[in-house]
Amino acid sequence: MQQNRNIQIIEWEDLDKRKFYSFGVFMTMTIRATVYPATLIRTRLQVQKGKSLYNGTFDAFFKILRAEGVRGLYRGFMVNTFTLISGQAYITTYELVRKYVSNYSKDNTVKSLVAGGAASLVAQTITVPIDVISQQLMMQGQGKHLTRFRVKLKTEADGKTKMAFGQTRNMIAQIFAADGFRGFYRGYVASLLTYIPNSAVWWPFYHFYAEQLSKMAPSDCPHLLLQAMAGPLAAATASTVTNPMDVVRARVQVEGRTSVIQTLRHLLAEEGFWGMTKGLSARIISSIPTAIVMVVGYETLKRVSLRPELVDSRHW
């Protein structure tokens, strides 16, 4: 796939690293803020029993909005911003591993698959404790009966709930008191089994779809537009493939289960095959804007971070 590519890939050695990291932090924060409400909805859908609380993605959105306001869609967001660290670790690992693998293989699919999986391994090691805390906070409000932990909530005059000050610190203390340090890595294996395949699948499909679209599009079509179309296609593909493990991961982390296998068996026995598709529509819906914003942001970031002597060598 590497030879005779219509869309030339900007590699690690082509970048001005100072620009790359400076702009990268802003890009990552923008993406997190954009898709967080869909992530919260997906988590609540995956953890609920059957349809005990919500009937679907849009039903969940409007119910949360009515009962908890806009703030309810951003429960746990502040602690989730610490994933900026994992975001930078992911990008760096992906690019460095991709460069390393190129010493042994010029095949873009191989480089993308290995680098994507390795980047996810590093990122998840940083992200899981943050996810554990933020997911518990996501479940407060309408979903609080589905989690083991509670934070204090204030009821405003309009009936909507508002979290009290210090709820993140309080949640951390509760998790540590109940499970110790290991509690912050609950669901770590399930996360690896979800996100390593997701990342490993996403990158090869992204480059594949972009290349196929470039062959069908007019020669003067902006490459960034084709890449923005390829991102959601790759995201939908990867989300569909890995959603069963994502449901298991969410249940392990929120319900306090310890065994991935037992959680999977319990889910299948309780809700059957369709239980494995829970939250899939929310996941795809969240992945589409995520992919568009990420691809446009990431490819733009790489272009503006090009070393000066290479700026005129890339077609946008």
Side-chain angles (χ1 to χ4, degrees), residues 132-133 136 149 170-180 183-184:
V132 168
I133 298 166
Q136 293 293 345
F149 306 111
N170 178 260
M171 182 60 71
I172 292 172
Q174 288 187 53
I175 294 171
F176 186 78
D179 301 326
F184 296 102

Side-chain angles (χ1 to χ4, degrees), residues 39 52 68 91 99 160 195 220 238 289 291 293:
T39 302
S52 59
E68 305 172 46
I91 291 172
K99 180 181 178 181
K160 294 179 180 179
Y195 291 114
D220 60 347
V293 172

Side-chain angles (χ1 to χ4, degrees), residues 128-292:
V128 167
I130 300 170
D131 271 351
V132 168
I133 298 166
S134 64
Q135 284 184 331
Q136 293 293 345
L137 293 172
M138 286 178 188
M139 297 306 298
Q140 304 304 308
Q142 287 184 322
K144 64 183 179 182
H145 64 285
L146 298 173
T147 179
R148 297 181 297 156
F149 306 111
R150 305 282 190 276
V151 294
K152 293 181 179 180
L153 298 173
K154 294 179 179 178
T155 302
E156 298 179 322
D158 58 2
K160 294 179 180 179
T161 57
K162 177 182 178 182
M163 288 183 289
F165 178 77
Q167 36 85 22
T168 300
R169 181 177 58 190
N170 178 260
M171 182 60 71
I172 292 172
Q174 288 187 53
I175 294 171
F176 186 78
D179 301 326
F181 180 76
R182 291 180 62 183
F184 296 102
Y185 274 91
R186 188 175 294 280
Y188 179 62
V189 173
S191 291
L192 295 182
L193 292 176
T194 300
Y195 291 114
I196 289 180
N198 187 82
S199 182
V201 167
W202 190 92
W203 285 102
F205 271 105
Y206 164 61
H207 290 303
F208 171 77
Y209 287 134
E211 190 65 14
Q212 296 307 307
L213 288 169
S214 72
K215 294 176 181 178
M216 295 184 287
S219 59
D220 60 347
C221 182
H223 285 179
L224 193 61
L225 175 61
L226 299 177
Q227 290 167 325
M229 294 169 64
L233 292 173
T237 302
S239 295
T240 302
V241 170
T242 61
N243 195 73
M245 204 63 234
D246 194 42
V247 177
V248 173
R249 175 196 60 82
R251 296 220 169 180
V252 167
Q253 291 181 333
V254 174
E255 295 179 355
R257 297 177 181 273
T258 57
S259 170
V260 172
I261 300 299
Q262 287 181 0
T263 302
L264 178 60
R265 288 175 177 171
H266 185 267
L267 177 64
L268 287 171
E270 188 177 69
E271 303 189 46
F273 171 79
W274 292 109
M276 308 300 291
T277 66
K278 297 186 75 170
L280 178 59
S281 62
R283 194 173 180 209
I284 291 176
I285 289 170
S286 68
S287 72
I288 289 174
T290 301
I292 293 173

